[in-house]
Amino acid sequence: VGPDGAGSDAEEAVGREFRLIAKLRERLARSAPARRSPLAAKVALGSGDDAAITVPDGATATSVDLAVDGVHFRLETAGARSIGRKALAAALSDLAAMGAVAGEAFVQLGLPEGFAEGDCLELADGLAEVAAEHGVEVLGGDISRAPALTLAVSVVGHAESPEALVRRDGARAGDVVCVTGELGGARAGHLLLERPELGSNLAAPVASALRARQLEPEPRLAAGRALAAGGASAMIDISDGLAGDAEHVARASGVRLELEAERIPIMPGVAGLAATADVDPVELAASGGEDYELLASIPPAALEPAVEALAGGRLALTMIGRVVSGEGVAITRADGSELEVAGYDQLR
Amino acid sequence: VGPDGAGSDAEEAVGREFRLIAKLRERLARSAPARRSPLAAKVALGSGDDAAITVPDGATATSVDLAVDGVHFRLETAGARSIGRKALAAALSDLAAMGAVAGEAFVQLGLPEGFAEGDCLELADGLAEVAAEHGVEVLGGDISRAPALTLAVSVVGHAESPEALVRRDGARAGDVVCVTGELGGARAGHLLLERPELGSNLAAPVASALRARQLEPEPRLAAGRALAAGGASAMIDISDGLAGDAEHVARASGVRLELEAERIPIMPGVAGLAATADVDPVELAASGGEDYELLASIPPAALEPAVEALAGGRLALTMIGRVVSGEGVAITRADGSELEVAGYDQLR
């Protein structure tokens, strides 16, 4: 609004914007979780000023994530609530991969023309749900017009000290490589959403679980903390796909990861869908990103206690290979052949 | 890249993405400033892992800002380097308004198809310049395709304690209201960029200064810290326009701000341009956003020392009104008439 534009239309628009921001703030404030971790930062001032004020203790882990309609999700297939859930979950997954306690979040929203206020509030509800589930407080954000729905999420996690957090660069020859949960579900769910006919041979609850895996992934925060406490030497979340993320660990640590294809835990339904789509289910599980499980290296003696620790949270931890001297990643089938997989390119 | 898409094209694209990210990281690492504040967080781990690790001390102020091509800037008129500079400067301005020391930044980039790598690196150079100028370390980011160039910037600032930071809600009846620098330049510069013919009566250096004000604003970090140390009771940066931002302070503090139109410091050239455009220069200065000057309330006895403190940094501090009991904002001309202005609506 400038010298040529001020007037009642503009004032009305300003009023609308402030009302929307107030409503969003109110929805997100509801998330303010009762059960925040004692490690989380003390919040001296939340949303509504130029900046939020916190008093953190120990070390902080900060990660930022960008999600754009048509690139990371499709508004038509996903729905606003799932998009909100997934954007925060994906960001929190990076904190899980550090073994951090989730603390605070900030959200920048780019809204396209015609994106209804109701959808916007649903999206906020999705964010608020995931925040509440993980003891995260949403402390601020920004909002703007944008040509496509855009969510930029920043998350801050906490630990007693920098040494309590697990990086990608600590894998050592002799460690075993393990993965939480099951893989391939997110990619299979994506295929089901785009080509529903691929689900013709799947039981409805199985297909539904695959779609949920794509739309509403679960950040493995408790598992990440347990693995960090249990001596994991390196950790990463599987967002680009097992092969690509294993490659990140291999490169950062200066080691080679030798994985066994038949040990990779594959989510129920993935094999059936892969058969219908005429693709190799292991390739699908090893290349498909967005499962948001954790890949960790850990000294062999620490594996069994870690498996037990995660079982307490009803999450499997599966040994899928070993760290050796060298470089790169190999995923080998029982017949000795090697799986060929490429990572997921976010610039495509 | 999934079961149906893996192959050499995909691998090439992945390679391209990683190379671009490596180049961006290298450019931004150059910014790693020698002269970081002792208050800034110790950086235990920078860009390249799932999260950055810092060890902050005292209180942190965190703010996030979203800038989208066609909404906050126009790539055609601004150029990539200026866009990078402005995105970080605008975010840092929020820390200035808290009286915080600037510490760390995170940047999420959405790149449209066809946005050249050279432009991307120039944008990073602009970010790195502003980071270096203000002792800020860029600790991470994310990158994605997007339909329009999008920059989501998160900044973290620091102070000894929450009480050392200045909020919007502390203005008290009896305080004076003051503003740093000069207003109206950013809006005038915007008009000049969109309608160059409006500059026909301006000297070239004056027109150039107005455009620079729009394209490359300066976050008033030193002034913000001086005002905080000098006893400012409330502070905000002028991003929405003086009238709108004064309204934010009035509402948060539960007071009324009475401003005098003729005291508002107006940037050279604004009056000339306003005359050509046939608009009121004071209205332009009071409604035009993006000057990124600071508006503060301060007890009368603290005004003179604050003026002197800012003069040391060659920045004017001008008293433009008073805080009284009541609500809202009035900007009154010498003849007693009231200026009518509306704020700037980011959702338009």
Side-chain angles (χ1 to χ4, degrees):
Chain A
V1 176
D4 19 51
S8 67
D9 273 11
E11 273 166 38
E12 205 179 288
V14 171
R16 255 201 323 275
E17 183 197 349
F18 287 141
R19 278 195 301 276
L20 176 58
I21 290 174
K23 281 186 194 173
L24 287 173
R25 198 177 288 155
E26 194 239 332
R27 298 265 168 149
L28 291 168
R30 272 189 228 154
S31 77
R35 52 174 200 79
R36 294 195 82 212
S37 162
L39 271 176
K42 277 78 198 153
V43 177
L45 180 65
S47 177
D49 211 296
D50 295 298
I53 303 178
T54 61
V55 185
D57 201 9
T60 65
T62 307
S63 186
V64 300
D65 235 43
L66 185 60
V68 181
D69 188 14
V71 182
H72 300 85
F73 58 84
R74 289 209 302 131
L75 182 51
E76 302 155 57
T77 47
R81 180 182 297 258
S82 287
I83 291 168
R85 287 193 63 98
K86 183 171 178 177
L88 183 53
L92 291 174
S93 178
D94 284 315
L95 298 185
M98 304 299 290
V101 166
E104 301 83 48
F106 299 84
V107 181
Q108 293 130 298
L109 276 181
L111 304 178
E113 204 83 49
F115 190 69
E117 180 173 314
D119 285 339
C120 194
L121 297 179
E122 254 194 50
L123 188 152
D125 285 342
L127 286 164
E129 285 167 15
V130 171
E133 285 160 24
H134 297 285
V136 170
E137 197 156 345
V138 180
L139 290 186
D142 195 8
I143 194 167
S144 164
R145 273 269 162 268
L149 182 61
T150 304
L151 291 91
V153 177
S154 305
V155 288
V156 183
H158 302 273
E160 292 82 356
S161 70
E163 296 72 34
L165 296 167
V166 184
R167 311 172 183 202
R168 297 177 178 180
D169 64 0
R172 294 294 167 258
D175 287 346
V176 295
V177 178
C178 51
V179 66
T180 62
E182 294 159 333
L183 303 183
R187 176 70 187 157
H190 178 73
L191 289 170
L192 271 181
L193 288 163
E194 297 295 317
R195 298 163 57 193
E197 72 278 10
L198 290 177
S200 51
N201 292 327
L202 297 178
V206 171
S208 165
L210 292 176
R211 283 190 297 267
R213 201 65 199 283
Q214 164 61 224
L215 295 176
E216 303 193 353
E218 196 59 37
R220 299 302 190 190
L221 284 155
R225 290 199 298 281
L227 284 162
S233 52
M235 194 151 59
I236 192 168
D237 67 321
I238 300 181
S239 53
D240 292 348
L242 173 64
D245 289 312
E247 180 71 38
H248 291 316
V249 170
R251 190 173 305 159
S253 297
V255 295
R256 176 174 176 80
L257 267 55
E258 296 193 335
L259 311 182
E260 297 171 57
E262 79 272 21
R263 288 183 181 265
I264 297 171
I266 297 182
M267 191 165 164
V270 170
L273 180 130
T276 310
D278 197 23
V279 296
D280 181 334
V282 183
E283 261 179 44
L284 189 153
S287 68
E290 304 194 298
D291 283 314
Y292 297 108
E293 297 293 350
L294 299 177
L295 176 72
S297 61
I298 192 164
L303 179 63
E304 207 43 49
V307 169
E308 278 165 32
L310 267 63
R314 284 189 300 271
L315 189 63
L317 182 69
T318 308
M319 196 278 241
I320 59 169
R322 297 187 172 277
V323 181
V324 299
S325 298
E327 59 184 21
V329 174
I331 307 181
T332 310
R333 292 199 191 81
D335 65 7
S337 66
E338 252 190 53
L339 219 64
E340 292 275 356
V341 288
Y344 178 73
D345 174 21
Q346 296 178 309
L347 282 183
R348 273 198 320 162
Chain B
V1 175
D4 18 49
S8 68
D9 272 13
E11 274 166 37
E12 206 181 287
V14 172
R16 256 203 322 275
E17 184 197 346
F18 286 142
R19 278 195 301 279
L20 175 59
I21 291 173
K23 282 185 193 173
L24 288 173
R25 199 178 287 156
E26 193 240 333
R27 299 265 167 147
L28 291 169
R30 273 190 225 153
S31 76
R35 51 174 201 77
R36 295 194 84 213
S37 162
L39 270 177
K42 277 77 196 155
V43 177
L45 180 66
S47 176
D49 212 297
D50 295 298
I53 304 177
T54 60
V55 184
D57 202 10
T60 65
T62 305
S63 185
V64 300
D65 234 44
L66 184 59
V68 180
D69 187 14
V71 183
H72 300 86
F73 58 83
R74 289 211 301 132
L75 181 51
E76 303 155 56
T77 47
R81 179 181 299 259
S82 287
I83 290 166
R85 285 193 63 98
K86 184 171 177 175
L88 183 53
L92 291 174
S93 177
D94 284 315
L95 298 185
M98 303 299 290
V101 166
E104 300 82 48
F106 299 83
V107 181
Q108 292 129 298
L109 275 181
L111 304 178
E113 203 82 49
F115 190 68
E117 179 174 313
D119 284 340
C120 194
L121 297 180
E122 253 194 49
L123 188 152
D125 285 344
L127 286 164
E129 284 168 16
V130 171
E133 286 160 22
H134 297 285
V136 170
E137 197 156 345
V138 180
L139 290 186
D142 194 8
I143 193 166
S144 163
R145 274 269 160 270
L149 182 60
T150 304
L151 291 91
V153 178
S154 305
V155 289
V156 183
H158 302 274
E160 292 82 355
S161 70
E163 296 71 34
L165 295 167
V166 184
R167 310 172 183 204
R168 298 178 178 178
D169 63 0
R172 294 292 167 260
D175 287 345
V176 294
V177 178
C178 51
V179 66
T180 63
E182 294 160 332
L183 301 183
R187 176 71 188 156
H190 178 74
L191 289 170
L192 271 180
L193 287 164
E194 297 295 317
R195 299 164 57 193
E197 72 278 10
L198 290 177
S200 52
N201 291 327
L202 297 179
V206 171
S208 164
L210 292 176
R211 283 190 297 266
R213 200 62 197 289
Q214 165 60 221
L215 295 176
E216 304 194 353
E218 194 61 38
R220 299 301 191 192
L221 285 154
R225 290 198 298 281
L227 284 161
S233 52
M235 191 151 60
I236 193 170
D237 69 321
I238 300 180
S239 52
D240 292 347
L242 173 63
D245 290 312
E247 180 71 39
H248 291 314
V249 171
R251 189 171 309 160
S253 296
V255 295
R256 177 175 175 80
L257 269 56
E258 297 194 334
L259 310 182
E260 298 171 55
E262 79 273 20
R263 288 183 181 264
I264 297 171
I266 296 181
M267 192 166 162
V270 170
L273 180 131
T276 309
D278 198 23
V279 296
D280 180 335
V282 182
E283 261 178 44
L284 188 152
S287 67
E290 303 195 298
D291 284 315
Y292 297 108
E293 297 292 351
L294 299 177
L295 176 73
S297 61
I298 193 164
L303 178 64
E304 207 44 48
V307 169
E308 278 165 31
L310 267 62
R314 285 189 301 270
L315 188 65
L317 183 70
T318 308
M319 196 277 242
I320 59 169
R322 296 184 173 278
V323 181
V324 300
S325 299
E327 58 184 23
V329 173
I331 307 180
T332 310
R333 294 199 191 80
D335 66 6
S337 65
E338 252 191 54
L339 219 62
E340 292 275 354
V341 286
Y344 177 75
D345 173 22
Q346 297 176 308
L347 282 186
R348 271 201 319 162

